[in-house]
Amino acid sequence: MPLFERRRRPPLPADVRSAVPLDGAESVLAWARDDLTDGHVVATTHHLAFVGADGVLSWRRPWHEAETGTWQGESSLLTVTWADRAPAAQWRLHEPSLVQQTLRERLQASVVLSDEFRAPNRRTVRVVIRQDLATGELVEQTIPGKGVDLSDPRVAAEAAERLARLRSEVGL
């Protein structure tokens, strides 16, 4: 067996590929089958999508809407949390895949600047300027840690001040 032999994966199933719309120069970077649902996680240059076992697109979200991705190797679980606090997406990925690496790279690519501070309850609040990878548009986000009340005047004032500083640094 050659030292650098490439392992060939079967191609993305045609019904899954056709279910994921690609805009302009957008392309599929990685994909994996979810052992929990038999659906497919599809990572493109601009979006993360999930196609159900029935071959129908369940959802498609731009990278700047994903807050974090966590890989638990021992259980083969990949979890994505969303900046808007929508329920996390979770998949069990046993087959070799580049989805985890692509997730990390695309999340990092979408962050332009970020800052964080501690709220009065000692939980973290992140303020972020991110880029929509499809359009180049800059998007502001305030992401509270668990139990942080963004309507608290002290938290809101600190977040606004830090966002203003980030805006100024990127010329907004």
Side-chain angles (χ1 to χ4, degrees), residues 3 24 31 39-41 44 51 68 70 73 76 108 111 118 124 131 134 141 170 172:
L3 181 61
W31 65 274
H40 288 81
V41 181
T44 75
V51 177
T68 62
T70 307
S76 300
Q108 289 173 348
V111 175
R118 296 236 181 248
T124 302
Q131 182 178 35
Q141 295 174 334
V170 297
L172 290 178

Side-chain angles (χ1 to χ4, degrees), residues 6-34:
R6 292 176 63 179
R7 292 185 184 172
R8 296 231 185 251
R9 289 192 68 190
L12 180 62
D15 63 329
V16 175
R17 171 51 209 96
S18 65
V20 179
L22 298 178
D23 302 327
E26 186 173 16
S27 61
V28 173
L29 299 173
W31 65 274
R33 187 180 60 79
D34 173 29

